[in-house]
């Protein structure tokens, strides 16, 4: 598969943008029913719910920038590491979202429900929004884009060597004063 460097890196940046936008949206809502009416107490985005998302996206962004400047062996190593990190993040994200695991939000939930519990409200419902699935899809796209970069980087053009500075060749002195100055 021959994909140009700009296309592969562009796809990677688009995947990073999609995952970032999806993670910044509301993934979980806490709601209670005080008198039969559902009341939303608090909402949490993907970054707040799962702190590993920002670490994976930041590492992937750094890898995308570095890959555009290094040689082929370094590209392979960096892309492999980024792919491994993205796959691990995707697996962790799928396991957490599928079970609606919001254990990392215990302090925020305690604050939100503690105030409401003082007013006699007991049952708290956790609702997973559509954006959590969009976030998973963004991570799937990130894994695919990273895999495409890893598979196609060997077809990218080699790094161009820096232009070496030419040494100026001095003209041979023609008069006696120039000859005497050059011998000093």
């Amino acid at each position: 598969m021959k994909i140009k460097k700009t296309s592969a890196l562009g796809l990677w940046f688009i995947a990073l943008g999609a995952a970032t936008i999806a993670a910044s949206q509301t993934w979980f809502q806490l709601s209670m029913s005080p008198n039969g009416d559902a009341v939303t107490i608090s909402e949490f985005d993907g970054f707040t719910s799962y702190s590993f998302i920002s670490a994976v996206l930041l590492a992937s962004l750094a890898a995308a920038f570095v890959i555009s400047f290094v040689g082929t062996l370094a590209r392979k190593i960096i892309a492999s590491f980024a792919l491994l990190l993205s796959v691990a993040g995707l697996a962790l994200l799928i396991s957490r979202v599928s079970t609606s695991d919001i254990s990392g939000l215990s302090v925020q939930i305690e604050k939100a429900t503690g105030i409401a519990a003082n007013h006699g409200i007991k049952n708290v419902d956790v609702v997973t929004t559509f954006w959590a699935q969009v976030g998973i899809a963004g991570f799937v796209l990130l894994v695919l884009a990273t895999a495409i970069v890893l598979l196609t980087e060997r077809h990218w053009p080699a790094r161009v060597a820096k232009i070496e500075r030419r040494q100026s060749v001095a003209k041979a002195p023609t008069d006696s004063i120039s000859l005497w100055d050059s011998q000093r």
Side-chain angles (χ1 to χ4, degrees), residues 6 13 35 39 50 53 58 64 77 82 87 90 103 106 110 125 137 139 159 172-173 179:
T6 55
F13 284 117
N35 297 324
V39 177
Y50 307 118
I53 291 175
L58 185 62
I77 293 169
V87 168
L90 175 63
S103 59
S106 60
E110 185 178 334
D125 296 321
F139 261 73
R159 283 183 44 203
L179 180 61

Side-chain angles (χ1 to χ4, degrees), residues 100-119:
S100 295
D101 180 9
I102 55 171
S103 59
L105 300 171
S106 60
V107 173
Q108 291 94 332
I109 292 171
E110 185 178 334
K111 285 180 184 176
T113 58
I115 295 169
N118 290 335
H119 299 287

